[in-house]
Amino acid sequence: MERILVLPGDGIGPEVTREAQRVLEVVGAESGLALEFEEDLIGGAAIEAHGTPLADETVERARSCRAVLLGAVGGPRWDDMAVDVRPEKGLLRIRKELELFANLRPAAVFPALASASTLRPEVVDGIDLLVVRELTGGIYFGEPRGRGEVDGLREARNTMVYDESEIARIARVAFESAGRRRGEVTHVHKANVLEVSQLWMEVVAEVARDFPEVRLDHQLVDSMAMLLLREPARYDVIVTGNLFGDILSDEAAMITGSLGMLPSASLGEGGVGLYEPVHGSAPDIAGQDLANPLAAILSAAMLLEHSLDAPKPAARIRDAVTRVLEEGHRTSDLAAPDQTPLGCRAMGDQVLAQLSGS
Ligand code: NAD
């Protein structure tokens, strides 16, 4: 029995994770995967119940499960609380407790949604890339850091630091992912000025030797920022450190055009993966059955692929989503003015209908 912990969170989180769970239940049963779902609290919901955005028992429960499916956290109700006890802290804590060092953000364009991108259709056509970002090291965590005063002037410093083991493990995730995709890794760096990037070049190339079927390229981060706009369809897997990955994953996401369509996976040393839509809790539409559940449903597909080694059921979900969109179904975030949008539940129903018909 594979236990999956669902942490719906706040706002639209419960609405979208409910649809993702329904899809997993159907696909799991049809594929002979024995899935068992448990539910717990995170974010504002956990603050209300336990006075903390993530209870210790929830952490323990997550550790004992195979994967975590998360909705989103946060909302105006908790905006005035101290930073240390706010909903977002629950998210940061679970990522830390599960030692999630690899963040995977696919950016793929569904042909039916190509017009949602700000780029021209011929540039957008065929985009199907994956940004693999190192999540627990680099300049966001390096020491020394802080602010001070030197000779009467305010000064601040941060330190970009990686050791070879941190680089090798994220590179491995990228090469393994590429092996299941089109077999190409682009390593993004700034080795012309940073020693840290020079070490990345060396270590990524060393890891590449274990993956002879995958082609490796190196690209300067400033060029990459331009190339992603000029020829995004050229790229398969992009691997990079925390800072560059933070920026490039958002850039890649935007070229596909719609926040409600973007899934993510975070993988760690402990073997428990965390899967969540990229969007937030959307308090403006929460509780109204207006949310687009497809990012959560596509996150569930990533869960099958990465935590349960079930790429075929994962592909079935993605195909079902593609067909639903091709048939013209849209939630309100995607609908054109002349289209009647579907609610969150009805969109989930459409995906389930495609799955049972396929
Ligand atoms: P948001 O992603 O929640 O919403 C931005 C806009 O996109 C809103 O207009 C919203 O209605 C819309 N939107 C988002 N997801 C949608 C979906 N699935 N379907 C339809 N429309 C969707 O970002 P925000 O408004 O900046 O933040 C709202 C709250 O969410 C804040 O409390 C923030 O801290 C939190 N947040 C949480 C996460 C997370 O849990 N990972 C990420 C980002 C923001």
Side-chain angles (χ1 to χ4, degrees):
M1 192 59 87
E2 306 284 10
R3 289 168 57 228
I4 294 169
L5 180 63
V6 183
L7 297 176
D10 309 316
I12 62 170
E15 298 167 59
V16 298
T17 47
R18 201 173 301 130
E19 299 313 309
Q21 181 175 335
R22 287 208 298 153
V23 166
L24 277 178
E25 281 166 354
V26 167
V27 171
E30 285 174 1
S31 322
L33 295 165
L35 306 181
E36 189 177 277
F37 294 89
E38 300 177 23
E39 194 171 309
D40 213 328
L41 302 174
I42 192 168
I47 294 174
E48 300 300 321
H50 307 302
T52 168
L54 185 69
D56 293 344
E57 300 78 60
T58 312
V59 173
E60 282 318 309
R61 211 162 168 192
R63 282 212 185 94
S64 70
C65 284
R66 179 57 88 98
V68 177
L69 180 67
L70 196 141
V73 301
R77 189 182 164 91
W78 306 283
D79 275 355
D80 294 333
M81 299 184 77
V83 171
D84 238 32
V85 288
R86 281 171 61 136
E88 293 78 4
K89 198 74 188 173
L91 206 53
L92 295 177
R93 179 167 177 214
I94 194 152
R95 288 178 182 152
K96 183 160 183 268
E97 297 277 0
L98 297 177
E99 295 174 74
L100 303 173
F101 68 86
N103 183 234
L104 277 60
R105 292 252 304 251
V109 166
F110 291 89
L113 296 182
S115 61
S117 174
T118 51
L119 300 183
R120 288 200 309 271
E122 67 269 25
V123 178
V124 171
D125 188 31
I127 295 178
D128 182 8
L129 61 86
L130 176 70
V131 179
V132 176
R133 166 189 171 193
E134 203 288 328
L135 205 57
T136 53
I139 197 162
Y140 294 170
F141 297 96
E143 297 283 349
R145 64 184 299 159
R147 289 181 60 138
E149 204 172 286
V150 178
D151 298 334
L153 296 175
R154 286 172 296 164
E155 193 187 80
R157 76 185 58 220
N158 292 93
T159 304
M160 185 184 273
V161 55
Y162 275 108
D163 71 32
E164 59 180 307
S165 71
E166 292 173 289
I167 303 167
R169 67 182 182 176
I170 190 79
R172 218 161 265 290
V173 170
F175 283 103
E176 283 164 2
S177 301
R180 292 193 292 267
R181 295 169 49 97
R182 299 199 303 279
E184 287 175 29
V185 167
T186 304
H187 162 236
V188 174
H189 64 91
K190 189 73 183 171
N192 51 347
V193 283
L194 297 177
E195 285 82 357
V196 172
S197 283
Q198 289 158 14
L199 181 63
W200 271 75
M201 297 275 280
E202 276 169 44
V203 176
V204 170
E206 285 160 19
V207 172
R209 286 187 212 129
D210 294 339
F211 298 87
E213 73 288 2
V214 177
R215 209 167 67 85
L216 171 64
D217 258 338
H218 301 274
Q219 194 62 252
L220 280 165
V221 63
D222 39 350
S223 308
M224 192 72 227
M226 293 194 282
L227 289 165
L228 269 180
L229 297 180
R230 202 173 73 192
E231 40 185 359
R234 195 174 115 190
Y235 297 95
D236 182 16
V237 174
I238 292 171
V239 65
T240 189
N242 206 344
L243 172 64
F244 302 155
D246 192 3
I247 299 164
L248 292 180
S249 58
D250 271 10
E251 185 187 354
M254 267 334 286
I255 58 184
T256 70
S258 45
L259 194 53
M261 296 297 302
L262 297 166
S264 80
S266 301
L267 311 176
E269 291 284 19
V272 186
L274 177 82
Y275 302 86
E276 57 183 323
V278 168
H279 62 72
S281 58
D284 51 335
I285 57 166
Q288 301 170 49
D289 192 35
L290 288 176
N292 179 352
L294 296 178
I297 289 171
L298 293 167
S299 300
M302 293 189 84
L303 185 157
L304 289 171
E305 187 172 345
H306 294 280
S307 281
L308 299 177
D309 197 20
K312 281 192 183 141
R316 282 193 62 215
I317 295 177
R318 280 191 286 269
D319 290 347
V321 169
T322 304
R323 286 196 303 274
V324 165
L325 294 169
E326 273 166 4
E327 285 185 359
H329 302 294
R330 302 283 188 272
T331 39
S332 54
D333 55 318
L334 303 175
D338 58 335
Q339 283 176 312
T340 312
L342 294 183
C344 185
R345 169 50 59 112
M347 185 54 115
D349 286 342
Q350 287 297 334
V351 176
L352 290 175
Q354 286 292 344
L355 285 167
S356 57
S358 63

